[in-house]
């Protein structure tokens, strides 16, 4: 990324136009909106809502598990293509995830004059707060639940060499790239939705505590993800949790349920470049380090 920075710095000295001109084209990326707040509520489950649902656009939904059912408050994503829908993650235990997903699918089918569509259930990675709802989908008709281990993920998305190659899934007029990013967990992946330019980054990159279990793999994954972002039009980087507050460098204590002043969900490529630069400078000796919007948090096995 130092190359890109130097190109832009040089360009700025000559003409702002030159830097703008060097960026990838945005033609074809559909606009949408990430809500400024995705507040997951407090400890009281009054009203019975277990997931909060937000539309990025008519074919892309953000679901957030209510805080009263899990302090993790994971974020799930549901994308609709012409032929199939894809659900990324099924949440932590203690919540009905099937009902909100089925409600969104029914509404989409009605809007599009369709009788049915297949559903692919995939995972950003295999940790329990992202896969606990799988049991609610195993017997769902017309549904493919992708296995959680690396071999299953590789096979399903056609990743030839893990983690260096990129896999893909075509949902029908909606191509999604699958980028292996082990480090937080062995089977971690990022998804790049070419239609919206959204990069879904799971627990590997989000405004919170980036738990790193394999430091060497994590460093390589962040580096490859940064290279990917530099060569594609990325509109938002959306992860699977929010743990930082709106105050720079400060996260909520671990296990916090109610987060009324939490950080916005979406991050930009600049924060990814910053993370890559800091991780690279650590040269394999990773230490707990707070950045403005996230904390690098190595976990001793
Ligand atoms: Zn995780
Ligand atoms: Zn998690």
């Amino acid at each position: 990324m130092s190359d890109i920075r130097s190109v832009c710095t040089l360009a700025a000295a000559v003409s702002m136009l030159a830097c703008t001109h060097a960026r990838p084209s945005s033609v074809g990326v559909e606009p949408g909106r990430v809500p400024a707040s995705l507040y997951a509520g407090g400890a009281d489950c009054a009203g019975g809502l277990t997931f909060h649902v937000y539309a990025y656009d008519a074919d892309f939904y953000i679901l957030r598990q209510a805080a009263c059912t899990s302090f993790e408050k994971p974020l799930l994503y549901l994308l609709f293509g012409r032929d199939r829908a894809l659900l990324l993650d099924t949440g932590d235990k203690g919540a009905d995830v099937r009902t909100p997903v089925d409600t969104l699918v029914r509404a989409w089918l009605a809007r599009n004059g369709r009788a049915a569509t297949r559903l692919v259930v995939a995972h950003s990675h295999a940790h329990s707060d992202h896969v606990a709802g799988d049991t609610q989908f195993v017997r769902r008709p017309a549904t493919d639940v992708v296995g959680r281990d690396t071999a299953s993920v590789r096979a399903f998305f056609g990743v030839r060499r893990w983690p260096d190659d990129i896999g893909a899934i075509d949902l029908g007029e909606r191509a999604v790239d699958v980028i292996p990013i082990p480090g937080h967990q062995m089977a971690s992946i990022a998804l790049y939705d070419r239609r919206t330019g959204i990069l879904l980054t799971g627990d590997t990159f989000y405004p919170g505590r980036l738990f790193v279990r394999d430091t060497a793999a994590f460093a390589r994954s962040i580096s490859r993800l940064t290279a990917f972002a530099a060569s594609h039009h990325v509109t938002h980087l959306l992860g699977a949790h929010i743990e930082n507050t709106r105050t720079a460098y400060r996260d909520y204590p671990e296990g916090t349920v109610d987060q009324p002043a939490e950080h916005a969900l979406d991050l930009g490529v600049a924060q990814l470049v910053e993370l890559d630069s800091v991780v690279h400078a650590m040269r394999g000796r990773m230490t707990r380090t707070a950045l403005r919007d996230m904390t690098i948090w190595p976990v001793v096995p």
Side-chain angles (χ1 to χ4, degrees), residues 116-141:
T117 190
R118 281 199 83 77
L119 176 67
V120 172
V121 178
H123 310 100
S124 62
H125 63 296
H127 285 153
S128 60
D129 52 324
H130 305 273
V131 304
D134 279 17
T135 51
Q136 300 172 41
F137 292 93
V138 286
R139 287 187 195 82
R140 186 182 185 277

Side-chain angles (χ1 to χ4, degrees), residues 5-162:
R5 261 202 304 271
S6 60
V7 166
C8 285
T9 308
L10 184 65
V14 181
S15 157
M16 284 306 292
L17 195 63
C19 186
T20 310
H21 199 72
R23 295 175 66 186
S25 166
S26 64
V27 173
V29 174
E30 288 182 1
R33 185 176 164 273
V34 179
S37 167
L38 293 111
Y39 179 57
D44 185 2
C45 262
L49 193 66
T50 57
F51 274 88
H52 301 267
V53 176
Y54 306 88
Y56 179 77
D57 64 24
D59 301 317
F60 190 119
Y61 294 86
I62 303 170
L63 295 86
R64 188 160 193 210
Q65 189 164 341
C68 65
T69 65
S70 166
F71 77 87
E72 297 279 11
K73 305 178 276 294
L75 289 132
L76 287 53
Y77 299 93
L78 180 64
L79 294 69
F80 289 91
R82 186 196 58 213
D83 307 321
R84 289 188 283 183
L86 185 146
L87 174 67
L88 185 67
D89 290 347
T90 58
D92 202 358
K93 61 183 184 305
D96 172 11
V97 60
R98 174 81 184 266
T99 300
V101 169
D102 282 350
T103 302
L104 287 169
V105 170
R106 271 199 304 274
W108 187 90
L109 291 172
R111 259 200 327 276
N112 289 274
R114 299 273 303 278
T117 190
R118 281 199 83 77
L119 176 67
V120 172
V121 178
H123 310 100
S124 62
H125 63 296
H127 285 153
S128 60
D129 52 324
H130 305 273
V131 304
D134 279 17
T135 51
Q136 300 172 41
F137 292 93
V138 286
R139 287 187 195 82
R140 186 182 185 277
T143 301
D144 305 305
V145 179
V146 182
R148 305 167 188 180
D149 58 294
T150 306
S152 299
V153 175
R154 273 186 71 174
F156 191 87
F157 293 112
V159 179
R160 287 171 58 193
R161 285 179 309 140
W162 183 279

